[in-house]
Amino acid sequence: MMSSCKGVGGEVSAAAAVPHVLAVDDSSVDRAVIAAILRSSKFRVTAVDSGKRALELLGSEANVSMIITDYWMPEMTGYELLKKVKESSKLKAIPVVIMSSENVPTRITRCLEEGAEDFLLKPVRASDVSRLCNRVLR
């Protein structure tokens, strides 16, 4: 049986009891898969199809516990989204996880050096989400 995660810092308020994850992927199939895995692990999920929409949502939604984003997307890559989040004084504390179907060590290193919490290879599995929950949202 999977248990839900506490919010960042371990506080247990009504909002923190169910961590809110922003899932960003231009592929509707991949977006549906990651959202289903996250929801099965007791996360509240908002799924959007672009980095631009993610930034719009982050501007109006203060209660995001983690961002999980695809690397390759049109208009704005996941790496560019990561940089914008980490450059923002309001958003920089939100953990960002990058996903990609391509295992490119230099890309992975660059994302981690820019501040990504983790880099997941697609297809993302429930065990990946469980590990993230334990490590990132402790």
Side-chain angles (χ1 to χ4, degrees):
M1 179 166 76
M2 287 189 211
S3 61
S4 62
C5 298
K6 291 183 181 173
V8 175
E11 71 279 359
V12 184
S13 66
V18 181
H20 182 195
V21 178
L22 175 58
V24 188
D25 201 315
D26 60 308
S27 162
S28 59
V29 172
D30 287 345
R31 209 168 45 246
V33 168
I34 191 66
I37 291 171
L38 289 164
R39 287 185 181 114
S40 73
S41 297
K42 310 299 183 217
F43 289 97
R44 183 165 69 95
V45 180
T46 301
V48 297
D49 63 0
S50 71
K52 183 179 177 199
R53 289 199 184 181
L55 288 173
E56 289 169 0
L57 183 121
L58 289 164
S60 62
E61 171 67 58
N63 189 27
V64 172
S65 307
M66 181 172 67
I67 300 164
I68 185 163
T69 181
D70 184 31
Y71 182 86
W72 278 121
M73 296 182 291
E75 295 181 20
M76 178 186 296
T77 66
Y79 177 74
E80 292 165 335
L81 175 60
L82 167 68
K83 285 182 69 169
K84 288 188 179 294
V85 168
K86 294 306 175 184
E87 289 167 359
S88 165
S89 58
K90 180 184 168 197
L91 304 175
K92 67 182 176 185
I94 301 172
V96 179
V97 176
I98 307 284
M99 306 176 289
S100 180
S101 56
E102 300 171 341
N103 186 356
V104 180
T106 54
R107 180 182 304 155
I108 295 169
T109 299
R110 188 174 71 155
C111 289
L112 294 173
E113 286 175 350
E114 192 63 44
E117 292 295 322
D118 208 342
F119 194 104
L120 301 179
L121 291 174
K122 291 180 180 180
V124 174
R125 301 177 308 267
S127 59
D128 296 324
V129 172
S130 177
R131 180 172 52 85
L132 280 176
C133 180
N134 292 330
R135 201 173 65 74
V136 177
L137 297 175
R138 54 191 171 291

